[in-house]
Amino acid sequence: MPITRIPRGDEMVRKVVTVKHKYGIHARPAAKIVSLCNGFVSDIEIIKDGEPPANGKNILDIMMLAAATGVNLELRADGPDAEEAIEQLSVMMESDFDTNEI
């Protein structure tokens, strides 16, 4: 799905991705997500099935998503580097997180 801007005149960017990692998002992938998100100035949120947004920079929030393989997540970012943040995060989410661990 392409990256889209939310039509509010601000810098909010969003994209829906599917978790591809065969074990979903557990501790190691969550740590990688947080590490990536902390490299951006923008506020980054990850949303699962209409639940409250998880702060992409908070490992406990990411772990609480309990996102299994095949789950769709909405990524949102707001700030000066929002588009780049969403692009990099979406690539990571739809990959194997560069890991082969269980």
Side-chain angles (χ1 to χ4, degrees):
M1 178 176 195
I3 294 174
T4 57
R5 290 203 174 271
I6 294 175
R8 295 189 314 195
D10 60 15
E11 297 184 48
M12 179 78 68
V13 178
R14 70 181 190 95
K15 184 174 183 179
V16 175
V17 298
T18 303
V19 176
K20 303 283 176 140
H21 190 277
K22 64 182 177 180
Y23 299 111
I25 297 176
H26 53 84
R28 287 185 185 136
K32 288 181 177 251
I33 290 167
V34 170
S35 179
L36 177 72
C37 290
N38 278 319
F40 293 98
V41 174
S42 295
D43 293 324
I44 301 168
E45 297 177 333
I46 303 170
I47 302 164
K48 176 185 162 194
D49 299 328
E51 294 178 10
N55 179 347
K57 298 179 181 183
N58 182 314
I59 194 163
L60 293 178
D61 280 4
I62 302 303
M63 302 260 320
M64 292 299 293
L65 288 171
T69 306
V71 167
N72 289 327
L73 300 173
E74 181 179 354
L75 310 179
R76 291 185 188 171
D78 186 18
D81 53 2
E83 196 162 329
E84 181 65 22
I86 293 301
E87 181 60 35
Q88 287 188 31
L89 185 56
S90 67
V91 167
M92 178 182 281
M93 292 284 220
E94 292 185 322
S95 75
D96 195 29
F97 290 88
D98 295 325
T99 64
N100 291 318
E101 85 279 347
I102 57 173

